[in-house]
Amino acid sequence: MKRWQWLKDLLDPAAGSAGQLFTLGDRGDKPAVETTGPTLLADAQVRAEGLLTHIDNLLEAKDQGAKALEKAGDLSANLDENLERLKKIFRMPANKDLIIRELQIATQPPTRAVVCFMEGLTDKIVINEHILQPLMLLAHLDHHVDGEGEAGRTQFSIDTLIQRLLPGHQTTEKYDMAAIAESLLAGDTVLFFENVSTAVSVETKAPPGRSVGEPKVEQVVQGAQDAFVEAWRVNVALVRRRLKDPRVVTEILTVGRVSKNYVGMMYIDGIANPKLIEEARRRIEAIDVDVVNGAGVLEQYIEDSPSSMLPGLLTTERPDRTAAYLSEGNVALLADNAPTALILPVTFWGLLQTAEDYALRWPFGAFIRYIRFAALLITVLVPALYIAVVNYHHEMIPTELMLFVASSRENVPLPALLELILMDLTFELIRESGTRIPSLIGPTVGLVASLVLGQAAVEAKLISPLMVLIVAVTGLASFAIPHYVTSYGIRAWRFLVLAGAAVMGFYGLAAVLFLMVVYVSGLRSFGVPFLTPLAPMRTRSADATGRGPLYRMEMRPSYARPLDKQRQQEIVRTWDPLAPEPEERAGSGTKKGGKS
Amino acid sequence: MKQKAKVKIGALQLITIFASLIFGKAIGFTNGGLARTVGRDAWASMTVALLTGMLLLPAIVWLARRGGGPLIAYIKRLLGRWLGGLVLLLFAVYFGFAFATSANTMTLHISDYLMTETPFAVFVVGYTLLVTYGVYLGLEVAARLSVLGLIMTGLLTISMMAGSFDKFNYTQMLPMFDHGVLPVLAASSIAHTDVAMVAAAALALLPHSVGPPGRWNRLCWWGLGTGGILVLVWSIFETAVLGPDVVAQYLIACMQMARAAELSIYLHRYEMIMVVLFAYGVVTQSVVTLYCAVTLTEGALPWRVPRGWLILGWAALTVPLQFLLGNDRDRYGIFLETVWPAASIALAYGLPLFLCLVALLRPAAAAQGSTKSG
């Protein structure tokens, strides 16, 4: 019997729990009412208490004018009541993150108060030196005496407190518990007082975060070497450092019912199109989900075609690039906890550009863009062309070349398509593992995998040397696509085109390619056709597929429909002896556009 | 209910659409047909057709401007619900056949020169599905595609000229009017099949233009002129490089032209590259013609049919039509040189001219909603 039980325990992983198996609704059970009931009831009670207090405060304030009515929130004058509600809202005592520190303000007589803040999100030195110390030690000094108080007594008032006792740089009055909770979660410190239905919030934010570092994905040789971090306020500052214009606006939006993530929406008033700003705001405000963590998630909630293979917004970790786009009339979204900015709208050509294109002299900047475009074509087409030629159109290439291809494949037992798919998948595997492996051993593993595997496969006559070359060139070309998410899409396309070529040679290849072009032609990014300014063709742009001299880019790109179209005078190199005189400039030729 | 956005096309895109509409079939089939009829004067016949088209376009533009809005509503206003519906249906049938000829331009290229062993039906079905997707995405996407199409067509023409310039022998084009002037004029009816496509499409597409109606004439002329010049270049090169006798022997003469072009030893089968460059213009032509057929049918029917079904219906109807027309090359050649010119002149020129007449006779109905030029 024991042996039988032993065998049963061995075979059934749940048998050991002997009927006391814990399940969490894996049979579709709904949570019992007795479990959820008290929680719902407690929440309703807190809300009801708040509502009743709010009504009382409104009734009290109704004869005292509009200002008093504005200040009538749901806070009670009873400190204990307020504390009790706050504790219920923050699920205390189970929750240990909220710190509540009771104290006596050194007025005469002392005033009872409570300081609340979230552990880990605040700067404790600021709390100690700029909140607790003045309140507990300095409040009794004569110069803090309110003029209206009795002689020898210090009268407590919120105004005095804010103006003379709390040296914090951002101090605001709060009248609602919801606003207080939000402030606490943002890292502020909130003070409650006895017999006062107003709380005071002092800015003490110090969330954990790293310092500004170098870009990881968008590295450049020439140009700035700073990159965004997870703290959105730092990111806004990095952009503002580059755009010292009072017209630069940062609107703060909040997304996520639970995450309540801040999203800073930046634009330049007077340049960015108000319709674009309004649409961005509308889409962000429409997000109604629990958690929006990071730019990648936010992007999927607001882009025009979330199932598209190409991104509808540009993600960048570079403040200089963000500033450049803002100056051209685009809108940037800086989400908290995301070390990237989202730029909208974006065009296909924008996804193939880098910040360095502008730091280089224009012929090189233009050349490197053409190289990137060629890299895109190589990534998508080369494997498919090889399969189409080898399987269907032998006559397409010169006989000598065909004989060379045939001789290199002579001893390979696999069909060319299978050979290519195997190599391509291996390459993708190396790339993926190279990304996930810790950075210390990553390059070594990548090197070993690519060299040893390739060499071994060729020597084992499993793969032809030509195939290794094709996959290597394709892989190398895919690395030249600067935008990370775009390169995913392009790599996926490669397999689709390959499938077309494998089934119907050139016809299949051309058909899939055509479908892709039609598809991309139909894409829009915040209402802007993806292939503009090529299709639909807009005013001639010196900065789309190629790049013209910076001093000739007088106009902002037209695709974002900026309000102010001109960004610089027609002749900016006025010092140049060859530059026309002012009167000649007035009548000189056409103006060229910018980034597209 | 969510409102469907109005289709709007920019001036430049209209020009590229019109240029794409004339190019594909014209260099594919028309030159061969003309060479069979008037030999070395094929290019002259083509020129006559283009010039006639240029002269007729102002009438079409006048009619479109008088409409002051979508063609469907205008025709129904002019002719009444039932007769108007019938005329719209006739237009739709014309565009359906135009699509079939355009589609066959592409499928026969591939079937005869690239994948000779694959059954023709496979290309017909595959290509129709491809175009159906384009129609499903709409006219704006087709318009964007036409810009790419024109760029590709330009590259194709330039590379063909570069590859065959040293074989250009202008004496093959002489003497001019070898068959007489009247036969050249008469043969232009074959080329009118392509020009008429622009005329009919102009009537349907001009109301979608974002440009002022005063510029519509120029748009049409630019479109027809750009496409026409490209077609003429091919016509002239085919005659001067291959010679009229060789051109006359092929249904798809342009592929022979591409075969004659030598770009380097690494591109000795240049016609394959050519098909890729050629495809975008032809596909634009196919998408626009099928789009017009679907839209006009939608307006012609007295009851509402979901657009998706109409697209699928037209695609299903044209698959056997394409197969019947293209599967027998001789029969297709005869169709293109006899039946199709007569039908397309009657429908694509005749119907708009008839509408012009009605508009003149019923000025009140015609002027309602008329668009001021400027």
Side-chain angles (χ1 to χ4, degrees), chain A residues 535, chain B residues 9 13 16-17 138-148 284 288:
Chain B
I9 313 173
Q13 291 178 78
T16 54
I17 286 182
L139 189 59
E140 284 178 353
V141 171
R144 286 174 218 152
L145 197 65
S146 72
V147 180
L148 297 175
T284 308
V288 173

Side-chain angles (χ1 to χ4, degrees), chain A residues 392-393 395-398 504 506-507 511 513-515 517-519 521-524 529 531 534-537, chain B residues 12-13 110 115 122-123 126-127 130 133 137 140-141 144-145 147-148 151 265-266 268-269 272-273 280 283:
Chain A
Y392 295 94
H393 312 291
E395 71 285 8
M396 176 73 191
I397 53 176
M504 293 188 83
F506 259 35
Y507 179 63
L513 203 62
F514 170 75
L515 277 177
V517 174
V518 172
Y519 182 74
S521 303
L523 284 180
R524 280 175 183 274
L531 287 182
L534 186 69
M537 203 169 262
Chain B
L12 197 68
Q13 291 178 78
I110 297 164
M115 302 183 77
V122 173
F123 299 118
Y127 186 77
L130 213 72
Y133 177 58
L137 288 181
E140 284 178 353
V141 171
R144 286 174 218 152
L145 197 65
V147 180
L148 297 175
I151 293 170
I265 60 158
Y266 294 101
H268 67 155
R269 293 295 306 275
M272 292 188 173
I273 307 289
Y280 287 83
V283 173

